[in-house]
Structures are given as C-alpha cells and as structure tokens.
Amino acid sequence: MISLERLRTAGAIHAKYRGADKRERDKELMQARRSFLNDNSKPILFKSAFWKTAKTQLKKESFGKCAYCEANTDVVAHGDVEHYRPKSIYWWLAYTYDNYLFACQICNQTYKSDNFPIRGANLYPSPLLIDISTDAEINLLAGNISPDPIDIALNYTLQRYTDEHLREQALLLNPYFDNPETYFAYEADDVTQEVKIIPRRNDYSVYVKAAEDFYGINRIELKSLRYSVYKNFRAFKLSIPAIHDPIVKREVQEQIDYMLSSRYNFAGMNRYFNTIL
C-alpha cells in the first residue's frame, strides 16, 4: 500500500463530479434522504453508473493496482470504483469524487463491503437534514456537504474534509489522505515463502488488524505474491556490491529503482526492504 495523489484538473475529472452538476447530485441525495426520513420504506436508490465514469482516471492514479492491496488488478481480481466511506452509512458521500478510489473486487467486495471501523468518538458529520427540511434549505446545503474535487477552497473545502477524516480516526487507511508507509512494515519468511504486513510500531497494530480484517491485506495469495517480488528485489539489492562491471551495475540499479517506483507491484514493500537490506 502506497500513498496516492489525486489529479485535480478538468481534463482528469468529469464535469458531472464538480460545479453545478455536483450541486444537483447533492440536492438529489438530500431529497432522497428526506423521503426516507418520512417513510423508511423508501431507501435511497444510488445510481451505480454515476461513479463508473471515474474508473479510468482512478486506475491511472493507482498505476493499475488495487489502492488497498497494491496488487495488479489483472492478477488478483478485476478492479472497480470503490467508496472508501460506504454509501450505505455515509449516504451524502455517494456521489463525492474524493470518496472514490480504485480497488480490486476481493478487497472491496469480499472483505471491506460496508465495514468502516473508526477510533474517534464521532462519526463523520452528515448534513443538517431532517424530515421537514424544505427545498429552499436543501438548495442552500447543495455544494456544501462535501468538497468539489477541483474548487477545493470553495464552500465545503478539501481542508475541512481532511480535518473530518482525521477527527473520525478511521482505522482503514486511505492512501489519498494517509501515508501507509508510516504505519506498515513487512516481514519475510523464507521457509513459508511469504511476506506479511506488520505494524511499524506497536500502537499501529490496530491499523494492521483493520487492514487484515477488512482489506484482506494478509490473505495467503497476497503474502505469496509479495514474496516472489521480494525475492527478486533482494537478489538485485544484494548483488550490487559484488558487481564490478559499470554497465551491468547501472542496469541492475535501474531495475532496483524501477521496483521502488509507484508503478511497480508492492512498491511499498520494496521501499521498506530497501532501507534494511
């Protein structure tokens, strides 16, 4: 798991996720929520086609890898647009671009599903909406319930969104807002030929446990895949001091650098071992 950066340009983010279109989707969600508050037999019907448009860009930003397990989605499972905060709980973030990331179906559907453990005392605050909220009040709230992905300093700012994320203390790390390399270390076992994720510090064990339970971060398939990458990385790394041919040495170093780059599978693991081998 590595940090990811969101590209915030009009070319990268479709118009329907921002500006006037976003405000309309905000109103749509709040009107549906108001209907539910008046009659709980009318749940919000989310439009799954809406967030599928974001898949191509999100996949680019995660280099074709699952944002959670960091395996190539063509290897472990197909990837799709994932709601970091589940829309079943955080209904007002269902159409919020900053709540999306690219994840494999195993991490997303088999493990995470609607689970979202937090450490903070308070849930991320929902809009001030009640069963008798008027259309005028909803119109005023539109555009102010989550950040616009490009106009991040207007209305509900990205800074506010980030502050609420920190206040809630989610146990599931979000690579767009948290740096997983701060929390995760790796342990290789040459007997079982596996590499598992462990906490960098004892007090980070709760984050590893949450990732194990709800991302499946230490499932057997991942531990085996990591080891195959680790073994190659270790061989390249340990061979450097013994290589005297400058051309060969340069090529081996270039391969090491590539394996440390964000586009390489399990780059977070390689970066960890790069500091201790």
Side-chain angles (χ1 to χ4, degrees):
M1 200 174 187
I2 58 173
S3 292
L4 300 177
E5 184 175 355
R6 206 176 289 283
L7 183 59
R8 299 182 185 278
T9 66
I13 302 175
H14 195 283
K16 70 180 184 179
Y17 299 119
R18 49 192 172 83
D21 283 358
K22 181 188 184 304
R23 290 191 291 274
E24 287 302 312
R25 299 293 77 74
D26 285 354
K27 286 194 284 186
E28 182 181 310
L29 285 170
M30 288 186 285
Q31 288 166 353
R33 176 65 176 178
R34 182 179 60 186
S35 294
F36 173 75
L37 292 174
N38 281 283
D39 182 353
N40 59 19
S41 68
K42 297 179 179 179
I44 300 175
L45 300 177
F46 302 109
K47 299 175 181 177
S48 61
F50 179 80
W51 49 81
K52 289 181 179 179
T53 311
K55 181 177 178 178
T56 299
Q57 180 58 33
L58 296 173
K59 186 175 183 178
K60 285 181 183 177
E61 292 174 359
S62 63
F63 308 94
K65 302 181 293 183
C66 173
Y68 295 143
C69 72
E70 215 198 328
N72 188 305
T73 54
D74 293 334
V75 175
V76 292
H78 293 298
D80 216 337
V81 178
E82 140 78 347
H83 288 73
Y84 170 65
R85 284 185 168 79
K87 57 187 177 298
S88 60
I89 304 170
Y90 304 83
W91 57 269
W92 64 99
L93 299 178
Y95 299 149
T96 295
Y97 191 82
D98 272 284
N99 194 40
Y100 300 157
L101 47 73
F102 181 71
C104 74
Q105 292 177 343
I106 296 177
C107 286
N108 180 24
Q109 298 180 23
T110 305
Y111 284 90
K112 183 169 177 284
S113 187
D114 290 338
N115 294 294
F116 199 77
I118 65 171
R119 204 174 191 177
N122 299 306
L123 199 68
Y124 187 105
S126 64
L128 297 175
L129 188 75
I130 58 176
D131 58 346
I132 58 172
S133 292
T134 65
D135 285 343
E137 289 169 333
I138 286 176
N139 287 339
L140 287 174
L141 284 171
N144 290 282
I145 65 174
S146 64
D148 184 293
I150 293 182
D151 292 328
I152 61 173
L154 295 177
N155 302 323
Y156 194 114
T157 66
L158 182 62
Q159 184 59 57
R160 178 179 173 186
Y161 187 76
T162 303
D163 290 344
E164 294 294 0
H165 172 73
L166 295 174
R167 190 174 295 113
E168 190 176 36
Q169 298 181 55
L171 294 180
L172 292 174
L173 301 178
N174 183 332
Y176 281 108
F177 296 98
D178 307 304
N179 182 1
E181 294 176 54
T182 299
Y183 299 87
F184 293 164
Y186 296 81
E187 184 178 80
D189 189 324
D190 289 320
V191 176
T192 62
Q193 297 193 340
E194 296 174 347
V195 175
K196 69 177 181 179
I197 290 179
I198 60 174
R200 273 188 180 265
R201 299 183 345 201
N202 288 337
D203 54 328
Y204 291 159
S205 60
V206 291
Y207 297 99
V208 172
K209 179 66 165 58
E212 287 177 328
D213 291 345
F214 303 120
Y215 289 160
I217 207 78
N218 275 332
R219 55 187 185 266
I220 184 65
E221 298 86 356
L222 286 178
K223 291 191 291 186
S224 298
L225 282 172
R226 286 193 203 109
Y227 185 83
S228 64
V229 172
Y230 160 74
K231 190 174 181 180
N232 288 334
F233 181 79
R234 181 177 62 181
F236 283 121
K237 183 76 175 176
L238 296 179
S239 68
I240 283 286
I243 299 174
H244 302 291
D245 186 308
I247 295 176
V248 175
K249 192 168 189 174
R250 184 178 67 247
E251 290 190 358
V252 171
Q253 186 59 55
E254 287 176 352
Q255 179 61 28
I256 291 173
D257 292 342
Y258 175 53
M259 296 179 80
L260 294 172
S261 69
S262 294
R263 60 185 180 276
Y264 204 84
N265 289 355
F266 309 120
M269 173 191 71
N270 291 340
R271 293 170 187 171
Y272 173 77
F273 285 117
N274 188 53
T275 65
I276 64 175
L277 287 175

